């Protein structure tokens, strides 16, 4: 497992879930393929679209092989040991209400762009019946081309909300 963390000043004994919270708060980043990702809790309608999407997702994206995060779910997928992570059925980002928001279009799928401090970008589909979120590592800070790999599957399985 590759991690970058700041050390705590004094040794502390904590339970497993507490350790994960402390590591996240301390600013750790992990490229471990079994790294945990929060699984969304969408409506049953959105979950059905997400299950269909999961079956259509590509085996590789931007030359990275699929390596799904833990816990395994039809609502999450990953490539390149966490370099690219997809979550389906996320809540609508508040940024979508901001007229100054940035967006990207990839092969007929529109995405809201959110820059994350000290991390790569996060993209969320717009105008779809389920929100699909893709986070990219810093390696893709100025490269949204991986989104094109998701366009065929999104168009096929997650209907437009227009």
């Amino acid at each position: 497992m590759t991690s970058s963390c700041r050390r705590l000043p004094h040794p502390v004994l904590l339970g497993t879930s507490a350790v994960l919270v402390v590591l996240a708060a301390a600013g750790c980043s992990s490229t471990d393929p079994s790294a945990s990702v929060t699984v969304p809790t969408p409506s049953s309608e959105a979950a059905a679209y997400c299950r269909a999407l999961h079956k259509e997702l590509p085996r590789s994206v931007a030359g990275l092989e699929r390596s799904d995060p833990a816990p395994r779910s039809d609502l999450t997928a990953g490539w390149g040991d966490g370099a690219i992570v997809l979550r389906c059925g996320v809540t609508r980002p508040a940024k979508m209400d901001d007229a100054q928001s940035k967006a990207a279009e990839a092969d007929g799928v529109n995405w809201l762009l959110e820059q994350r401090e000290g991390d790569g970008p996060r993209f969320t589909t717009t105008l779809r019946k389920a929100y699909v979120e893709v986070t990219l590592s810093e390696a893709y800070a100025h490269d949204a081309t991986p989104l094109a790999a998701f366009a065929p599957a999104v168009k096929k399985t997650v209907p437009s909300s227009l």
Side-chain angles (χ1 to χ4, degrees), residues 17-36:
S17 60
V19 169
L20 292 175
V21 169
V22 169
L23 289 176
C28 296
S29 61
S30 173
T31 57
D32 181 357
S34 62
S36 181

Side-chain angles (χ1 to χ4, degrees), residues 33-45:
S34 62
S36 181
V37 168
T38 302
V39 177
T41 54
S43 69
S44 59
E45 178 187 19

Side-chain angles (χ1 to χ4, degrees), residues 28-153:
C28 296
S29 61
S30 173
T31 57
D32 181 357
S34 62
S36 181
V37 168
T38 302
V39 177
T41 54
S43 69
S44 59
E45 178 187 19
Y49 298 134
C50 293
R51 283 190 298 276
L53 173 64
H54 194 265
K55 293 175 186 174
E56 297 294 326
L57 292 172
R59 294 204 185 282
S60 66
V61 173
L64 303 173
E65 292 302 311
R66 184 140 172 201
S67 56
D68 290 347
R72 298 276 186 206
S73 170
D74 286 348
L75 305 176
T76 62
W79 292 263
D81 296 342
I84 299 172
V85 175
L86 179 145
R87 298 185 325 132
C88 184
V90 298
T91 57
R92 182 180 189 274
K95 269 288 212 202
M96 284 193 186
D97 293 331
D98 182 354
Q100 301 301 312
S101 300
K102 295 183 180 177
E105 188 272 339
D107 291 343
V109 176
N110 294 313
W111 301 84
L112 167 74
L113 165 63
E114 295 178 271
Q115 293 294 344
R116 299 178 302 155
E117 188 70 30
D119 225 338
R122 175 175 44 225
F123 294 90
T124 307
T125 56
T126 64
L127 308 173
R128 297 274 162 187
K129 292 198 176 194
Y131 293 103
V132 179
E133 173 191 277
V134 174
T135 55
L136 305 175
S137 70
E138 273 191 277
Y140 299 95
H142 302 288
D143 182 8
T145 56
L147 296 178
F150 300 117

